[in-house]
Amino acid sequence: MKRLASALLAATLLAPPAFATDGPSRLDQIVERKVLNVCTTGDYRPFSYRADDQGEFVGIDIDLARSLAQSLDAEPVFVPTKWSDLLADFQAKCDVALSGISVTLPRQRQVAFSQMYLVNGKAPIVRCEDVSKYQSVAAIDQPGTRVVVNPGGTNEKFARAHFTKAEIRLFPDNRVIFKEILEGRADVMVAESVEVKLQEKLHPGLCAVNPDQPLQYGEMGIVLPRGDVAFKAYVDQWLHLAKATGEFDRIVDANMK
């Protein structure tokens, strides 16, 4: 019995890892074709945004994608998607996805992520006169509170998991969703702390609630093909160098003005 257990252990140690992929790495394919296909939503300041369906993408993640592509001697091609279709579009059309994407375990079942590049938990944004009213999940989750969310992403998931008494309203266009609060058609939106800090600057009259003490811990990463060890190692090293050289901080600072 001991011999059998030892043989099984040796076979396990010698076997290739279960996540290894056959064929060339995506890294080699990108270098050869000189194109990096990037899935992005375009509705999420300060990470990925464009004013209309024909506009140019801008934002932190757009600039990061351009930097990653440049490191590969490739051109970035931005592939529009929406949150409800993000993973399916990525798997069908893209090499990476960058759009201020939260790392979640359900997503991790389908795709891989780069190393985390930003800690960014959920925080509310409300009309400034209501800041003291909405200091916690329990304070928000009351009958009569109107919580507005964009469909298909982690904002909706957070709202549905935590707000059982408040009214949850879906609003399809994340580019203008904050006007729903400002103009009195909703009371609260819960989104990533970096986003609500920026929206506070862009919309006088709206205030982020305790964005440096978020309601939920969160991390952001770059979506990658599952099992491609070489490509993930490259992206992680590029990201490490972008942070070490100050490029990452410069990109963030430029997009938070």
Side-chain angles (χ1 to χ4, degrees), residues 190-240:
V190 177
E192 264 63 41
S193 55
V194 170
E195 181 182 22
V196 297
K197 285 180 178 180
L198 178 62
Q199 294 298 332
E200 179 181 70
K201 295 180 182 178
L202 297 175
H203 295 93
L206 294 186
C207 288
V209 181
N210 304 323
D212 295 322
Q213 298 175 317
L215 302 175
Q216 180 190 57
Y217 177 81
E219 296 180 349
M220 287 183 168
I222 300 167
V223 174
L224 303 171
R226 190 170 68 172
D228 194 328
V229 178
F231 188 38
K232 174 174 165 51
Y234 181 91
V235 173
D236 283 347
Q237 181 63 11
W238 159 80
L239 188 55
H240 164 72

mmCIF file of all heavy atoms in Angstrom, residues 190-240:
data_model
loop_
_atom_site.group_PDB
_atom_site.id
_atom_site.type_symbol
_atom_site.label_atom_id
_atom_site.label_comp_id
_atom_site.label_asym_id
_atom_site.label_seq_id
_atom_site.Cartn_x
_atom_site.Cartn_y
_atom_site.Cartn_z
ATOM 1 N N VAL A 190 -24.210 52.351 -5.536
ATOM 2 C CA VAL A 190 -23.023 51.771 -4.918
ATOM 3 C C VAL A 190 -22.123 51.271 -6.044
ATOM 4 O O VAL A 190 -22.529 50.431 -6.849
ATOM 5 C CB VAL A 190 -23.378 50.631 -3.957
ATOM 6 C CG1 VAL A 190 -22.104 50.004 -3.389
ATOM 7 C CG2 VAL A 190 -24.258 51.150 -2.816
ATOM 8 N N ALA A 191 -20.906 51.807 -6.111
ATOM 9 C CA ALA A 191 -19.958 51.452 -7.162
ATOM 10 C C ALA A 191 -18.563 51.460 -6.566
ATOM 11 O O ALA A 191 -18.378 51.699 -5.365
ATOM 12 C CB ALA A 191 -20.065 52.428 -8.330
ATOM 13 N N GLU A 192 -17.550 51.204 -7.397
ATOM 14 C CA GLU A 192 -16.185 51.174 -6.896
ATOM 15 C C GLU A 192 -15.770 52.553 -6.361
ATOM 16 O O GLU A 192 -16.158 53.584 -6.893
ATOM 17 C CB GLU A 192 -15.220 50.736 -7.990
ATOM 18 C CG GLU A 192 -14.896 49.259 -7.962
ATOM 19 C CD GLU A 192 -16.110 48.378 -8.205
ATOM 20 O OE1 GLU A 192 -16.937 48.699 -9.062
ATOM 21 O OE2 GLU A 192 -16.233 47.365 -7.507
ATOM 22 N N SER A 193 -14.952 52.539 -5.311
ATOM 23 C CA SER A 193 -14.592 53.776 -4.628
ATOM 24 C C SER A 193 -13.877 54.761 -5.546
ATOM 25 O O SER A 193 -14.097 55.972 -5.460
ATOM 26 C CB SER A 193 -13.736 53.471 -3.397
ATOM 27 O OG SER A 193 -12.597 52.697 -3.745
ATOM 28 N N VAL A 194 -13.014 54.270 -6.442
ATOM 29 C CA VAL A 194 -12.330 55.173 -7.374
ATOM 30 C C VAL A 194 -13.344 55.854 -8.288
ATOM 31 O O VAL A 194 -13.233 57.055 -8.578
ATOM 32 C CB VAL A 194 -11.283 54.401 -8.206
ATOM 33 C CG1 VAL A 194 -10.746 55.270 -9.337
ATOM 34 C CG2 VAL A 194 -10.138 53.950 -7.322
ATOM 35 N N GLU A 195 -14.343 55.099 -8.736
ATOM 36 C CA GLU A 195 -15.353 55.674 -9.622
ATOM 37 C C GLU A 195 -16.159 56.752 -8.914
ATOM 38 O O GLU A 195 -16.379 57.838 -9.476
ATOM 39 C CB GLU A 195 -16.297 54.586 -10.141
ATOM 40 C CG GLU A 195 -17.355 55.129 -11.088
ATOM 41 C CD GLU A 195 -18.319 54.073 -11.576
ATOM 42 O OE1 GLU A 195 -18.454 53.028 -10.914
ATOM 43 O OE2 GLU A 195 -18.965 54.307 -12.615
ATOM 44 N N VAL A 196 -16.617 56.500 -7.698
ATOM 45 C CA VAL A 196 -17.467 57.497 -7.037
ATOM 46 C C VAL A 196 -16.657 58.744 -6.669
ATOM 47 O O VAL A 196 -17.204 59.849 -6.652
ATOM 48 C CB VAL A 196 -18.198 56.907 -5.800
ATOM 49 C CG1 VAL A 196 -19.149 55.794 -6.233
ATOM 50 C CG2 VAL A 196 -17.249 56.413 -4.731
ATOM 51 N N LYS A 197 -15.359 58.580 -6.403
ATOM 52 C CA LYS A 197 -14.518 59.763 -6.170
ATOM 53 C C LYS A 197 -14.471 60.652 -7.410
ATOM 54 O O LYS A 197 -14.558 61.887 -7.316
ATOM 55 C CB LYS A 197 -13.099 59.334 -5.788
ATOM 56 C CG LYS A 197 -12.935 58.810 -4.375
ATOM 57 C CD LYS A 197 -11.472 58.430 -4.134
ATOM 58 C CE LYS A 197 -11.233 57.937 -2.732
ATOM 59 N NZ LYS A 197 -9.813 57.568 -2.509
ATOM 60 N N LEU A 198 -14.330 60.039 -8.574
ATOM 61 C CA LEU A 198 -14.289 60.819 -9.811
ATOM 62 C C LEU A 198 -15.644 61.433 -10.120
ATOM 63 O O LEU A 198 -15.745 62.606 -10.493
ATOM 64 C CB LEU A 198 -13.835 59.944 -10.979
ATOM 65 C CG LEU A 198 -13.796 60.656 -12.337
ATOM 66 C CD1 LEU A 198 -12.792 61.815 -12.313
ATOM 67 C CD2 LEU A 198 -13.462 59.687 -13.451
ATOM 68 N N GLN A 199 -16.709 60.660 -9.965
ATOM 69 C CA GLN A 199 -18.048 61.178 -10.278
ATOM 70 C C GLN A 199 -18.430 62.336 -9.361
ATOM 71 O O GLN A 199 -19.177 63.229 -9.756
ATOM 72 C CB GLN A 199 -19.081 60.049 -10.202
ATOM 73 C CG GLN A 199 -18.910 58.970 -11.258
ATOM 74 C CD GLN A 199 -19.053 59.494 -12.674
ATOM 75 O OE1 GLN A 199 -19.742 60.482 -12.918
ATOM 76 N NE2 GLN A 199 -18.416 58.821 -13.623
ATOM 77 N N GLU A 200 -17.914 62.335 -8.137
ATOM 78 C CA GLU A 200 -18.118 63.454 -7.228
ATOM 79 C C GLU A 200 -17.525 64.736 -7.822
ATOM 80 O O GLU A 200 -18.125 65.814 -7.735
ATOM 81 C CB GLU A 200 -17.458 63.125 -5.891
ATOM 82 C CG GLU A 200 -17.565 64.196 -4.835
ATOM 83 C CD GLU A 200 -16.857 63.791 -3.562
ATOM 84 O OE1 GLU A 200 -15.605 63.739 -3.585
ATOM 85 O OE2 GLU A 200 -17.524 63.514 -2.560
ATOM 86 N N LYS A 201 -16.358 64.618 -8.474
ATOM 87 C CA LYS A 201 -15.741 65.775 -9.124
ATOM 88 C C LYS A 201 -16.523 66.214 -10.349
ATOM 89 O O LYS A 201 -16.657 67.412 -10.634
ATOM 90 C CB LYS A 201 -14.306 65.440 -9.540
ATOM 91 C CG LYS A 201 -13.344 65.170 -8.403
ATOM 92 C CD LYS A 201 -11.961 64.840 -8.960
ATOM 93 C CE LYS A 201 -10.969 64.514 -7.870
ATOM 94 N NZ LYS A 201 -9.637 64.156 -8.427
ATOM 95 N N LEU A 202 -17.052 65.241 -11.086
ATOM 96 C CA LEU A 202 -17.727 65.535 -12.351
ATOM 97 C C LEU A 202 -19.147 66.052 -12.164
ATOM 98 O O LEU A 202 -19.684 66.709 -13.059
ATOM 99 C CB LEU A 202 -17.758 64.279 -13.226
ATOM 100 C CG LEU A 202 -16.404 63.729 -13.674
ATOM 101 C CD1 LEU A 202 -16.585 62.418 -14.432
ATOM 102 C CD2 LEU A 202 -15.668 64.747 -14.548
ATOM 103 N N HIS A 203 -19.756 65.754 -11.015
ATOM 104 C CA HIS A 203 -21.156 66.120 -10.783
ATOM 105 C C HIS A 203 -21.297 66.895 -9.476
ATOM 106 O O HIS A 203 -21.552 66.300 -8.416
ATOM 107 C CB HIS A 203 -22.045 64.872 -10.738
ATOM 108 C CG HIS A 203 -22.111 64.116 -12.032
ATOM 109 N ND1 HIS A 203 -21.271 63.064 -12.329
ATOM 110 C CD2 HIS A 203 -22.919 64.282 -13.106
ATOM 111 C CE1 HIS A 203 -21.571 62.611 -13.531
ATOM 112 N NE2 HIS A 203 -22.561 63.323 -14.025
ATOM 113 N N PRO A 204 -21.105 68.207 -9.491
ATOM 114 C CA PRO A 204 -21.348 69.001 -8.282
ATOM 115 C C PRO A 204 -22.749 68.741 -7.747
ATOM 116 O O PRO A 204 -23.723 68.731 -8.502
ATOM 117 C CB PRO A 204 -21.186 70.436 -8.777
ATOM 118 C CG PRO A 204 -20.303 70.327 -9.977
ATOM 119 C CD PRO A 204 -20.665 69.036 -10.639
ATOM 120 N N GLY A 205 -22.828 68.483 -6.459
ATOM 121 C CA GLY A 205 -24.108 68.124 -5.851
ATOM 122 C C GLY A 205 -24.150 66.668 -5.441
ATOM 123 O O GLY A 205 -24.991 66.278 -4.618
ATOM 124 N N LEU A 206 -23.248 65.846 -5.994
ATOM 125 C CA LEU A 206 -23.126 64.452 -5.579
ATOM 126 C C LEU A 206 -21.889 64.288 -4.710
ATOM 127 O O LEU A 206 -20.853 64.896 -4.969
ATOM 128 C CB LEU A 206 -23.026 63.521 -6.784
ATOM 129 C CG LEU A 206 -24.249 63.410 -7.690
ATOM 130 C CD1 LEU A 206 -24.016 62.339 -8.753
ATOM 131 C CD2 LEU A 206 -25.518 63.110 -6.900
ATOM 132 N N CYS A 207 -21.998 63.441 -3.685
ATOM 133 C CA CYS A 207 -20.881 63.204 -2.776
ATOM 134 C C CYS A 207 -20.692 61.708 -2.553
ATOM 135 O O CYS A 207 -21.672 60.976 -2.331
ATOM 136 C CB CYS A 207 -21.135 63.868 -1.424
ATOM 137 S SG CYS A 207 -20.998 65.681 -1.452
ATOM 138 N N ALA A 208 -19.446 61.257 -2.626
ATOM 139 C CA ALA A 208 -19.108 59.885 -2.272
ATOM 140 C C ALA A 208 -19.176 59.730 -0.756
ATOM 141 O O ALA A 208 -18.794 60.629 -0.009
ATOM 142 C CB ALA A 208 -17.720 59.540 -2.779
ATOM 143 N N VAL A 209 -19.667 58.581 -0.307
ATOM 144 C CA VAL A 209 -19.819 58.322 1.128
ATOM 145 C C VAL A 209 -18.690 57.401 1.588
ATOM 146 O O VAL A 209 -18.631 56.233 1.205
ATOM 147 C CB VAL A 209 -21.184 57.678 1.427
ATOM 148 C CG1 VAL A 209 -21.335 57.447 2.937
ATOM 149 C CG2 VAL A 209 -22.322 58.542 0.898
ATOM 150 N N ASN A 210 -17.776 57.946 2.371
ATOM 151 C CA ASN A 210 -16.670 57.178 2.960
ATOM 152 C C ASN A 210 -15.948 56.310 1.924
ATOM 153 O O ASN A 210 -15.759 55.102 2.135
ATOM 154 C CB ASN A 210 -17.191 56.287 4.100
ATOM 155 C CG ASN A 210 -17.909 57.068 5.171
ATOM 156 O OD1 ASN A 210 -17.516 58.187 5.497
ATOM 157 N ND2 ASN A 210 -18.981 56.499 5.705
ATOM 158 N N PRO A 211 -15.512 56.877 0.809
ATOM 159 C CA PRO A 211 -14.895 56.048 -0.228
ATOM 160 C C PRO A 211 -13.583 55.392 0.187
ATOM 161 O O PRO A 211 -13.178 54.395 -0.412
ATOM 162 C CB PRO A 211 -14.674 57.035 -1.379
ATOM 163 C CG PRO A 211 -14.596 58.379 -0.720
ATOM 164 C CD PRO A 211 -15.543 58.307 0.435
ATOM 165 N N ASP A 212 -12.920 55.947 1.218
ATOM 166 C CA ASP A 212 -11.683 55.333 1.693
ATOM 167 C C ASP A 212 -11.938 54.269 2.759
ATOM 168 O O ASP A 212 -10.987 53.639 3.255
ATOM 169 C CB ASP A 212 -10.742 56.407 2.242
ATOM 170 C CG ASP A 212 -10.278 57.359 1.150
ATOM 171 O OD1 ASP A 212 -10.041 56.902 0.017
ATOM 172 O OD2 ASP A 212 -10.182 58.575 1.425
ATOM 173 N N GLN A 213 -13.193 54.057 3.090
ATOM 174 C CA GLN A 213 -13.607 52.973 3.984
ATOM 175 C C GLN A 213 -14.769 52.236 3.315
ATOM 176 O O GLN A 213 -15.913 52.313 3.756
ATOM 177 C CB GLN A 213 -14.024 53.520 5.349
ATOM 178 C CG GLN A 213 -12.892 54.238 6.080
ATOM 179 C CD GLN A 213 -13.379 54.883 7.370
ATOM 180 O OE1 GLN A 213 -14.439 55.493 7.437
ATOM 181 N NE2 GLN A 213 -12.581 54.742 8.422
ATOM 182 N N PRO A 214 -14.500 51.529 2.228
ATOM 183 C CA PRO A 214 -15.580 50.961 1.412
ATOM 184 C C PRO A 214 -16.401 49.915 2.148
ATOM 185 O O PRO A 214 -15.969 49.338 3.156
ATOM 186 C CB PRO A 214 -14.838 50.350 0.223
ATOM 187 C CG PRO A 214 -13.442 50.163 0.678
ATOM 188 C CD PRO A 214 -13.170 51.239 1.678
ATOM 189 N N LEU A 215 -17.591 49.678 1.607
ATOM 190 C CA LEU A 215 -18.511 48.711 2.195
ATOM 191 C C LEU A 215 -18.061 47.280 1.956
ATOM 192 O O LEU A 215 -18.481 46.370 2.676
ATOM 193 C CB LEU A 215 -19.915 48.894 1.590
ATOM 194 C CG LEU A 215 -20.560 50.273 1.745
ATOM 195 C CD1 LEU A 215 -21.876 50.322 0.994
ATOM 196 C CD2 LEU A 215 -20.765 50.616 3.222
ATOM 197 N N GLN A 216 -17.246 47.081 0.940
ATOM 198 C CA GLN A 216 -16.810 45.734 0.578
ATOM 199 C C GLN A 216 -15.406 45.801 -0.008
ATOM 200 O O GLN A 216 -15.109 46.683 -0.812
ATOM 201 C CB GLN A 216 -17.775 45.131 -0.452
ATOM 202 C CG GLN A 216 -17.442 43.720 -0.913
ATOM 203 C CD GLN A 216 -18.287 43.302 -2.097
ATOM 204 O OE1 GLN A 216 -18.300 43.956 -3.134
ATOM 205 N NE2 GLN A 216 -19.017 42.213 -1.943
ATOM 206 N N TYR A 217 -14.560 44.880 0.389
ATOM 207 C CA TYR A 217 -13.213 44.807 -0.185
ATOM 208 C C TYR A 217 -13.300 44.333 -1.633
ATOM 209 O O TYR A 217 -14.073 43.435 -1.961
ATOM 210 C CB TYR A 217 -12.350 43.849 0.625
ATOM 211 C CG TYR A 217 -10.958 43.672 0.060
ATOM 212 C CD1 TYR A 217 -9.961 44.614 0.320
ATOM 213 C CD2 TYR A 217 -10.646 42.579 -0.742
ATOM 214 C CE1 TYR A 217 -8.684 44.465 -0.203
ATOM 215 C CE2 TYR A 217 -9.368 42.419 -1.259
ATOM 216 C CZ TYR A 217 -8.399 43.364 -0.995
ATOM 217 O OH TYR A 217 -7.138 43.223 -1.521
ATOM 218 N N GLY A 218 -12.482 44.935 -2.499
ATOM 219 C CA GLY A 218 -12.461 44.502 -3.889
ATOM 220 C C GLY A 218 -11.096 44.710 -4.511
ATOM 221 O O GLY A 218 -10.323 45.581 -4.096
ATOM 222 N N GLU A 219 -10.780 43.893 -5.508
ATOM 223 C CA GLU A 219 -9.546 44.019 -6.270
ATOM 224 C C GLU A 219 -9.879 44.064 -7.756
ATOM 225 O O GLU A 219 -10.870 43.478 -8.194
ATOM 226 C CB GLU A 219 -8.612 42.832 -6.017
ATOM 227 C CG GLU A 219 -8.123 42.722 -4.602
ATOM 228 C CD GLU A 219 -7.205 41.530 -4.381
ATOM 229 O OE1 GLU A 219 -7.112 40.664 -5.280
ATOM 230 O OE2 GLU A 219 -6.583 41.468 -3.312
ATOM 231 N N MET A 220 -9.038 44.739 -8.523
ATOM 232 C CA MET A 220 -9.192 44.775 -9.968
ATOM 233 C C MET A 220 -7.999 44.117 -10.633
ATOM 234 O O MET A 220 -6.864 44.210 -10.151
ATOM 235 C CB MET A 220 -9.329 46.215 -10.456
ATOM 236 C CG MET A 220 -10.663 46.835 -10.119
ATOM 237 S SD MET A 220 -10.835 48.494 -10.788
ATOM 238 C CE MET A 220 -12.596 48.748 -10.516
ATOM 239 N N GLY A 221 -8.259 43.449 -11.751
ATOM 240 C CA GLY A 221 -7.202 42.799 -12.500
ATOM 241 C C GLY A 221 -7.539 42.766 -13.980
ATOM 242 O O GLY A 221 -8.636 43.144 -14.400
ATOM 243 N N ILE A 222 -6.597 42.299 -14.756
ATOM 244 C CA ILE A 222 -6.767 42.169 -16.202
ATOM 245 C C ILE A 222 -7.230 40.752 -16.498
ATOM 246 O O ILE A 222 -6.619 39.775 -16.042
ATOM 247 C CB ILE A 222 -5.445 42.457 -16.932
ATOM 248 C CG1 ILE A 222 -4.971 43.888 -16.618
ATOM 249 C CG2 ILE A 222 -5.584 42.252 -18.440
ATOM 250 C CD1 ILE A 222 -3.532 44.155 -17.045
ATOM 251 N N VAL A 223 -8.307 40.613 -17.256
ATOM 252 C CA VAL A 223 -8.812 39.293 -17.619
ATOM 253 C C VAL A 223 -7.900 38.686 -18.689
ATOM 254 O O VAL A 223 -7.574 39.321 -19.698
ATOM 255 C CB VAL A 223 -10.258 39.380 -18.132
ATOM 256 C CG1 VAL A 223 -10.731 38.023 -18.648
ATOM 257 C CG2 VAL A 223 -11.179 39.864 -17.022
ATOM 258 N N LEU A 224 -7.517 37.416 -18.468
ATOM 259 C CA LEU A 224 -6.607 36.700 -19.340
ATOM 260 C C LEU A 224 -7.175 35.319 -19.667
ATOM 261 O O LEU A 224 -8.035 34.809 -18.939
ATOM 262 C CB LEU A 224 -5.249 36.517 -18.655
ATOM 263 C CG LEU A 224 -4.525 37.782 -18.188
ATOM 264 C CD1 LEU A 224 -3.314 37.406 -17.341
ATOM 265 C CD2 LEU A 224 -4.103 38.625 -19.370
ATOM 266 N N PRO A 225 -6.673 34.695 -20.727
ATOM 267 C CA PRO A 225 -7.120 33.327 -21.021
ATOM 268 C C PRO A 225 -6.713 32.371 -19.905
ATOM 269 O O PRO A 225 -5.586 32.436 -19.408
ATOM 270 C CB PRO A 225 -6.391 32.978 -22.322
ATOM 271 C CG PRO A 225 -5.972 34.285 -22.909
ATOM 272 C CD PRO A 225 -5.738 35.200 -21.752
ATOM 273 N N ARG A 226 -7.614 31.514 -19.523
ATOM 274 C CA ARG A 226 -7.314 30.567 -18.456
ATOM 275 C C ARG A 226 -6.311 29.517 -18.953
ATOM 276 O O ARG A 226 -6.450 28.981 -20.045
ATOM 277 C CB ARG A 226 -8.601 29.880 -17.992
ATOM 278 C CG ARG A 226 -8.431 29.061 -16.738
ATOM 279 C CD ARG A 226 -9.752 28.592 -16.186
ATOM 280 N NE ARG A 226 -10.383 27.612 -17.062
ATOM 281 C CZ ARG A 226 -11.482 26.934 -16.722
ATOM 282 N NH1 ARG A 226 -12.078 27.178 -15.565
ATOM 283 N NH2 ARG A 226 -11.999 26.055 -17.542
ATOM 284 N N GLY A 227 -5.295 29.260 -18.161
ATOM 285 C CA GLY A 227 -4.350 28.203 -18.462
ATOM 286 C C GLY A 227 -3.131 28.602 -19.257
ATOM 287 O O GLY A 227 -2.240 27.786 -19.459
ATOM 288 N N ASP A 228 -3.053 29.848 -19.713
ATOM 289 C CA ASP A 228 -1.910 30.277 -20.523
ATOM 290 C C ASP A 228 -0.854 30.872 -19.589
ATOM 291 O O ASP A 228 -0.824 32.068 -19.320
ATOM 292 C CB ASP A 228 -2.348 31.302 -21.562
ATOM 293 C CG ASP A 228 -1.298 31.526 -22.641
ATOM 294 O OD1 ASP A 228 -0.101 31.415 -22.320
ATOM 295 O OD2 ASP A 228 -1.676 31.815 -23.790
ATOM 296 N N VAL A 229 0.029 30.009 -19.102
ATOM 297 C CA VAL A 229 0.998 30.398 -18.081
ATOM 298 C C VAL A 229 1.977 31.437 -18.609
ATOM 299 O O VAL A 229 2.306 32.412 -17.920
ATOM 300 C CB VAL A 229 1.748 29.148 -17.564
ATOM 301 C CG1 VAL A 229 2.799 29.541 -16.523
ATOM 302 C CG2 VAL A 229 0.771 28.144 -16.975
ATOM 303 N N ALA A 230 2.449 31.250 -19.838
ATOM 304 C CA ALA A 230 3.453 32.169 -20.392
ATOM 305 C C ALA A 230 2.885 33.574 -20.561
ATOM 306 O O ALA A 230 3.550 34.572 -20.239
ATOM 307 C CB ALA A 230 3.958 31.634 -21.734
ATOM 308 N N PHE A 231 1.657 33.668 -21.039
ATOM 309 C CA PHE A 231 1.051 34.986 -21.259
ATOM 310 C C PHE A 231 0.786 35.682 -19.935
ATOM 311 O O PHE A 231 1.049 36.877 -19.776
ATOM 312 C CB PHE A 231 -0.230 34.838 -22.076
ATOM 313 C CG PHE A 231 -0.830 36.141 -22.525
ATOM 314 C CD1 PHE A 231 -0.034 37.205 -22.926
ATOM 315 C CD2 PHE A 231 -2.210 36.312 -22.560
ATOM 316 C CE1 PHE A 231 -0.583 38.408 -23.347
ATOM 317 C CE2 PHE A 231 -2.777 37.506 -22.984
ATOM 318 C CZ PHE A 231 -1.961 38.558 -23.371
ATOM 319 N N LYS A 232 0.280 34.954 -18.966
ATOM 320 C CA LYS A 232 0.041 35.554 -17.648
ATOM 321 C C LYS A 232 1.343 36.040 -17.024
ATOM 322 O O LYS A 232 1.389 37.140 -16.446
ATOM 323 C CB LYS A 232 -0.650 34.567 -16.711
ATOM 324 C CG LYS A 232 -0.789 35.095 -15.275
ATOM 325 C CD LYS A 232 -1.591 34.194 -14.390
ATOM 326 C CE LYS A 232 -1.412 34.551 -12.916
ATOM 327 N NZ LYS A 232 -1.611 35.970 -12.591
ATOM 328 N N ALA A 233 2.412 35.240 -17.150
ATOM 329 C CA ALA A 233 3.700 35.650 -16.589
ATOM 330 C C ALA A 233 4.187 36.940 -17.248
ATOM 331 O O ALA A 233 4.721 37.830 -16.571
ATOM 332 C CB ALA A 233 4.729 34.536 -16.773
ATOM 333 N N TYR A 234 3.964 37.054 -18.549
ATOM 334 C CA TYR A 234 4.394 38.273 -19.253
ATOM 335 C C TYR A 234 3.588 39.482 -18.780
ATOM 336 O O TYR A 234 4.157 40.539 -18.462
ATOM 337 C CB TYR A 234 4.230 38.107 -20.768
ATOM 338 C CG TYR A 234 4.694 39.325 -21.529
ATOM 339 C CD1 TYR A 234 6.009 39.419 -21.968
ATOM 340 C CD2 TYR A 234 3.840 40.398 -21.773
ATOM 341 C CE1 TYR A 234 6.460 40.554 -22.639
ATOM 342 C CE2 TYR A 234 4.277 41.531 -22.433
ATOM 343 C CZ TYR A 234 5.586 41.608 -22.866
ATOM 344 O OH TYR A 234 6.017 42.742 -23.514
ATOM 345 N N VAL A 235 2.269 39.334 -18.725
ATOM 346 C CA VAL A 235 1.416 40.459 -18.322
ATOM 347 C C VAL A 235 1.730 40.870 -16.888
ATOM 348 O O VAL A 235 1.802 42.065 -16.572
ATOM 349 C CB VAL A 235 -0.069 40.105 -18.494
ATOM 350 C CG1 VAL A 235 -0.963 41.199 -17.907
ATOM 351 C CG2 VAL A 235 -0.408 39.898 -19.973
ATOM 352 N N ASP A 236 1.938 39.905 -16.007
ATOM 353 C CA ASP A 236 2.261 40.232 -14.613
ATOM 354 C C ASP A 236 3.591 40.986 -14.512
ATOM 355 O O ASP A 236 3.722 41.930 -13.724
ATOM 356 C CB ASP A 236 2.333 38.954 -13.775
ATOM 357 C CG ASP A 236 0.969 38.398 -13.429
ATOM 358 O OD1 ASP A 236 -0.037 39.109 -13.621
ATOM 359 O OD2 ASP A 236 0.912 37.232 -12.975
ATOM 360 N N GLN A 237 4.579 40.568 -15.306
ATOM 361 C CA GLN A 237 5.870 41.251 -15.253
ATOM 362 C C GLN A 237 5.764 42.660 -15.842
ATOM 363 O O GLN A 237 6.344 43.611 -15.294
ATOM 364 C CB GLN A 237 6.931 40.442 -16.011
ATOM 365 C CG GLN A 237 8.318 41.066 -15.999
ATOM 366 C CD GLN A 237 8.924 41.179 -14.596
ATOM 367 O OE1 GLN A 237 8.399 40.620 -13.635
ATOM 368 N NE2 GLN A 237 10.017 41.909 -14.478
ATOM 369 N N TRP A 238 5.021 42.811 -16.947
ATOM 370 C CA TRP A 238 4.805 44.150 -17.509
ATOM 371 C C TRP A 238 4.128 45.050 -16.476
ATOM 372 O O TRP A 238 4.524 46.205 -16.286
ATOM 373 C CB TRP A 238 3.944 44.058 -18.775
ATOM 374 C CG TRP A 238 3.282 45.355 -19.099
ATOM 375 C CD1 TRP A 238 3.827 46.443 -19.717
ATOM 376 C CD2 TRP A 238 1.941 45.722 -18.755
ATOM 377 N NE1 TRP A 238 2.921 47.465 -19.782
ATOM 378 C CE2 TRP A 238 1.753 47.045 -19.199
ATOM 379 C CE3 TRP A 238 0.895 45.055 -18.120
ATOM 380 C CZ2 TRP A 238 0.540 47.715 -19.027
ATOM 381 C CZ3 TRP A 238 -0.313 45.720 -17.942
ATOM 382 C CH2 TRP A 238 -0.466 47.042 -18.394
ATOM 383 N N LEU A 239 3.114 44.524 -15.784
ATOM 384 C CA LEU A 239 2.403 45.311 -14.787
ATOM 385 C C LEU A 239 3.318 45.676 -13.624
ATOM 386 O O LEU A 239 3.306 46.815 -13.134
ATOM 387 C CB LEU A 239 1.183 44.521 -14.297
ATOM 388 C CG LEU A 239 0.195 45.224 -13.393
ATOM 389 C CD1 LEU A 239 -0.328 46.517 -14.005
ATOM 390 C CD2 LEU A 239 -0.975 44.282 -13.062
ATOM 391 N N HIS A 240 4.130 44.728 -13.195
ATOM 392 C CA HIS A 240 5.101 45.001 -12.119
ATOM 393 C C HIS A 240 6.033 46.143 -12.519
ATOM 394 O O HIS A 240 6.276 47.064 -11.723
ATOM 395 C CB HIS A 240 5.911 43.737 -11.821
ATOM 396 C CG HIS A 240 7.161 43.984 -11.041
ATOM 397 N ND1 HIS A 240 7.165 44.325 -9.704
ATOM 398 C CD2 HIS A 240 8.465 43.974 -11.428
ATOM 399 C CE1 HIS A 240 8.404 44.511 -9.294
ATOM 400 N NE2 HIS A 240 9.214 44.298 -10.314
#
